[in-house]
Amino acid sequence: MKKLTKHLIVAAVLVAGFAAAFGSYLLLSPGTERGNGGIDAGPAAEAVPVRQSSHRLTDPADSELTLVEFLDFECEACGAYFPVVEKLRAEYGDRVTFVARYFPMPGHRNGELAARTVESAARQGRFEEMYTKLFTTQKEWGEARESKEGVFRRYAAELGLDMDRFDADLTDPETAGRVQEDQRDGLGLGVQGTPTFFLEGRKIPNPASYEQFKALIEERLAD
């Protein structure tokens, strides 16, 4: 199992590298359309890795370190890193602040919709539950050419959300704007593909395994 996970992460690093090159072209080229899953957003003038409004998966009282991930719920590389981040979170959640930020990539038909789905759940206090739901079910809806809004509504119902409120939030321009805020920061910070990690405010190369990620965190905690 550990060997399989390591191979998945190595593959994810390669996929992320290709996605970064292709995604940066799409993101920064004129004519990028939201219909392809992207967002018409420019870089933030004063971009920062984490804001007060950013979604924190852990919020320790005495945080020693902050790890930020710019992610796309439809990104296969992000899906491969998800169990690694979860394992790190379980191990270091009382010392490290884990932050998730939206960065839907062009070319993913449901990437931006997935981000709005999670943000709509967050408005009912269920960010983490929907974040987990979309990653653990990614194979069921990812890489589709048609809209998966019906699937996402089913997930919302399974989580017990107020569906009238969920539907209203999903189409609320403020919800899309909240997703855009994250992406603008990402663009301003040089994010070109997903996942992209920032450790203590600095962008890091994607670790090739859980062991490498753990060693990097341990090193920073020891400073």
Side-chain angles (χ1 to χ4, degrees), residues 9 13 64 70 72 78 86 91 109 121-122 124 164 166 197 208:
I9 294 300
V13 171
E64 302 175 50
F70 283 85
D72 178 345
C78 295
E86 287 295 284
E91 188 167 357
R109 175 66 176 81
Q124 296 189 42
D164 288 338
F166 175 82
F197 296 96

Side-chain angles (χ1 to χ4, degrees), residues 27 34 37-42 44 51 53-55 70-73 100-105 110-123 127 134 169-187:
L27 280 167
R34 285 186 58 170
I39 299 178
D40 182 15
R51 296 184 181 273
S53 60
S54 298
H55 292 297
F70 283 85
L71 58 84
D72 178 345
F73 291 100
R101 302 200 68 181
Y102 307 118
F103 200 82
M105 295 290 292
N110 290 285
E112 192 269 344
L113 174 61
R116 282 190 286 117
T117 294
V118 176
E119 184 59 26
S120 296
R123 290 190 173 194
F127 171 85
L134 291 195
D169 286 338
L170 192 63
T171 57
D172 187 340
E174 289 188 5
T175 303
R178 175 64 184 77
V179 174
Q180 289 177 358
E181 287 176 3
D182 277 8
Q183 190 175 44
R184 281 196 291 267
D185 268 342
L187 290 171

Side-chain angles (χ1 to χ4, degrees), residues 204-217:
I204 61 172
N206 288 352
S209 67
Y210 164 78
E211 289 75 18
Q212 285 189 17
F213 221 144
K214 176 182 172 68
L216 183 58
I217 290 176

Side-chain angles (χ1 to χ4, degrees), residues 1-3 5-7 9 84 87-88 91-92 207-219:
M1 184 64 181
K2 288 184 178 180
K3 183 179 293 186
T5 300
K6 185 173 182 178
H7 289 165
I9 294 300
V84 173
K87 187 174 180 180
L88 292 169
E91 188 167 357
Y92 296 102
S209 67
Y210 164 78
E211 289 75 18
Q212 285 189 17
F213 221 144
K214 176 182 172 68
L216 183 58
I217 290 176
E218 288 283 357
E219 179 183 349

Side-chain angles (χ1 to χ4, degrees), residues 80-140:
Y81 272 96
F82 170 73
V84 173
V85 173
E86 287 295 284
K87 187 174 180 180
L88 292 169
R89 186 158 70 101
E91 188 167 357
Y92 296 102
D94 59 341
R95 302 178 65 187
V96 177
T97 301
F98 288 79
V99 180
R101 302 200 68 181
Y102 307 118
F103 200 82
M105 295 290 292
H108 284 163
R109 175 66 176 81
N110 290 285
E112 192 269 344
L113 174 61
R116 282 190 286 117
T117 294
V118 176
E119 184 59 26
S120 296
R123 290 190 173 194
Q124 296 189 42
R126 307 297 293 278
F127 171 85
E128 184 174 347
E129 290 89 340
M130 189 62 81
Y131 160 93
T132 300
K133 186 75 170 178
L134 291 195
F135 274 133
T136 56
T137 62
Q138 188 190 70
K139 292 182 179 180
E140 299 176 14

